[in-house]
């Protein structure tokens, strides 16, 4: 993989910018499975094509679904089978795609099949036990050729499962619940899902909203209970996928960092994506945030001379932006404290440890907290930044190089997981 030197922003650059980002990974992968479970042909537009989504698509093809892929048009046409599994003896590989791993494990775990799921070495280390435990309680049968309750796994169900009530722990990943919710319509009877933990509820809201867009309603008797009545089914449709707000936030964060104005194309005012909450953090950092209805997107303008305070914020609802905030926090005038993010230790890498290690490497004082960290203002110096094969570490920490000479991002191609042309976009944005 290649290393990339970040070129600092200078006073010679302009002050207003407009950029486009790819489709949302979270919405793309949910839409792919919802379309596969629907009855009939769905056309998905604005699709993200990246390592993760390509693995998901290949898995669906291996499972026997009819899929037309048009990358240039950012479009996928998928023939759903109403919950029936075309190839019940498939072997699939989810790569490093956590969403595909969790969503397809739930789908196959509820189906009558004998399927094998393999994964990358990175994905084999990521949490899966909570999902397997819930599926086992339903009667699913798993065998693990390597490590117990981790991928790879052989799923062998001889008959359709029946269940009426299950519990899942989402402290390490909300994807466990999203996976069970999406595939809950495979049961002919009512099903109730209880949760312990509170991680990633914004992603759960996204899942429920998209399920309802495709025709399946989820009721919420209370904050920890989800009820899906039997007999519901997903309906095929034409579906537009929003641009990725997670990716957009790297560019919006440049507003305070550089004292510029930034617009990211086609971000909906009422997006399904929880990372939109990051814009309220930028407001606390003296940014102006305005929705421009004429162009259908947000305009974020940074404070004069790029002078802004640090913040104290619970990021449990939009934790993917922890790295983004951590990248701009050293340049603030006061300390920044981020809480509610203990679960990010279990993602593509131990993101909390990675942030502290890399900010310390460039001379910034960080203090680890039980569920977060505190970052002190400072003057970073140049260094080679390790990315830990984590796309979000690579993209977020590249922001430091816009105000610091000598920042090198190692193994930058790991961004292909969700935004394979990120560094091309970044470079072209600030060409003189």
């Amino acid at each position: 993989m290649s290393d990339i030197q970040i070129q600092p922003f200078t006073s010679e650059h302009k002050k207003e910018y407009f950029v486009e980002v790819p489709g949302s990974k979270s919405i793309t992968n949910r839409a792919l499975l919802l379309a596969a479970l629907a009855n009939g042909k769905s056309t998905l537009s604005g699709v993200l094509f990246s390592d993760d989504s390509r693995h998901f698509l290949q898995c669906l093809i291996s499972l026997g679904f009819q899929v037309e892929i048009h990358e240039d048009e950012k479009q996928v046409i998928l023939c759903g089978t109403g919950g029936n599994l075309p190839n019940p003896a498939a072997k699939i590989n989810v790569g490093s795609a956590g969403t595909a791993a969790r969503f397809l494990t739930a789908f196959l775990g509820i189906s009558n099949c004998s399927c094998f799921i393999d994964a990358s070495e990175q994905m084999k280390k990521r949490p899966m036990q909570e999902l397997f435990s819930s599926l086992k309680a339903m009667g699913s049968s798993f065998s693990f050729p390597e490590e117990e309750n981790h991928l790879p796994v052989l799923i062998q169900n001889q008959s359709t499962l029946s269940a009426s009530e299950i519990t899942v722990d989402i402290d390490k990943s909300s994807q466990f619940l999203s996976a069970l919710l999406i595939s809950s319509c495979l049961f002919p009877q009512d099903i109730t899902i209880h949760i312990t933990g509170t991680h990633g509820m914004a992603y759960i809201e996204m899942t429920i909203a998209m399920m309802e867009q495709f025709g399946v309603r989820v009721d919420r008797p209370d904050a920890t209970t989800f009820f899906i009545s039997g007999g519901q089914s997903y309906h095929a449709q034409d579906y537009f996928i929003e641009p990725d707000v997670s990716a957009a936030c790297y560019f919006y964060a440049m507003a305070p960092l550089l004292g510029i104005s930034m617009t990211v194309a086609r971000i909906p005012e009422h997006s399904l994506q929880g990372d939109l909450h990051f814009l309220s953090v930028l407001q606390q950092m003296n940014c102006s945030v305005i929705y421009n209805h004429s162009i259908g997107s947000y305009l974020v303008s940074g404070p004069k001379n790029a002078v802004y305070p640090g913040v104290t914020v619970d990021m449990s609802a939009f934790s993917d932006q922890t790295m983004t905030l951590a990248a701009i926090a050293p340049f603030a005038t006061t300390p920044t404290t981020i809480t509610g993010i203990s679960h990010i230790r279990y993602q593509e890498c131990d993101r909390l440890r990675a942030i502290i290690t890399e900010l310390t490497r460039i001379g910034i004082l960080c203090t680890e907290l039980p569920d977060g960290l505190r970052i002190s203002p400072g003057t970073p110096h140049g260094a080679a930044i390790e990315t830990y094969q984590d796309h979000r570490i690579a993209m977020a920490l590249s922001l430091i190089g816009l105000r610091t000479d000598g920042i090198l991002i190692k193994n930058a191609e790991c961004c292909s997981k969700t935004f394979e042309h990120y560094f091309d976009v970044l470079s072209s944005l600030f060409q003189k």
Side-chain angles (χ1 to χ4, degrees), residues 38-103:
N39 289 294
K41 182 183 291 186
S42 291
T43 299
L44 309 179
S45 302
V47 174
L48 168 70
F49 287 98
S50 66
D51 284 354
D52 275 17
S53 60
R54 291 188 184 102
H55 271 102
F56 207 131
L57 282 163
Q58 185 54 56
C59 287
L60 291 175
I61 292 168
S62 298
L63 289 167
F65 291 95
Q66 296 181 29
V67 182
E68 293 180 34
I69 299 171
H70 305 284
E71 285 207 21
D72 290 345
E73 291 79 21
K74 301 176 184 177
Q75 183 185 83
V76 168
I77 301 172
L78 202 159
C79 293
T81 58
N84 296 311
L85 185 58
N87 180 8
K91 294 182 179 180
I92 63 175
N93 191 317
V94 297
S96 295
T99 318
R102 279 71 179 259
F103 287 10

Side-chain angles (χ1 to χ4, degrees), residues 252-418:
Y252 282 134
M254 295 174 191
L257 181 69
L258 306 176
I260 62 174
S261 294
M262 180 66 71
T263 299
V264 181
R266 297 186 300 279
I267 301 297
E269 184 175 13
H270 304 292
S271 171
L272 292 172
Q273 301 168 73
D275 278 11
L276 196 64
H277 291 304
F278 186 68
L279 297 189
S280 66
V281 177
L282 296 181
Q283 286 179 309
Q284 295 176 53
M285 304 177 93
N286 292 343
C287 289
S288 164
V289 177
I290 299 171
Y291 194 78
N292 186 333
H293 290 275
S294 64
I295 63 172
S297 198
Y298 285 92
L299 167 67
V300 178
S301 299
K304 185 178 180 180
N305 299 323
V307 177
Y308 53 91
V311 293
T312 296
V313 57
D314 180 340
M315 298 190 76
S316 56
F318 52 112
S319 61
D320 276 352
Q321 293 312 312
T322 300
M323 288 70 66
T324 315
L325 181 55
I328 64 175
F331 304 97
T333 57
T334 57
T336 290
T337 301
I338 307 172
T339 62
I341 57 168
S342 58
H343 60 275
I344 72 172
R345 294 184 174 96
Y346 308 104
Q347 296 183 299
E348 280 84 342
C349 70
D350 181 342
R351 287 177 169 171
L352 194 54
R353 176 51 47 193
I355 292 168
I356 293 169
T357 300
E358 298 313 308
L359 291 187
T360 301
R361 189 191 306 279
I362 61 173
I364 298 300
L365 176 63
C366 296
T367 304
E368 184 170 356
L369 307 174
D371 67 341
L373 74 163
R374 178 182 171 89
I375 302 168
S376 297
T379 303
H381 57 71
I385 302 295
E386 296 288 347
T387 53
Y388 308 89
Q389 291 300 299
D390 189 326
H391 57 132
R392 301 219 177 276
I393 295 292
M395 289 187 282
L397 298 192
S398 69
L399 298 177
I400 297 168
L402 297 177
R403 279 189 59 170
T404 303
D405 282 320
I407 295 294
L408 179 79
I409 302 298
K410 299 180 71 173
N411 299 324
E413 290 175 13
C414 65
C415 293
S416 63
K417 181 177 174 67
T418 53

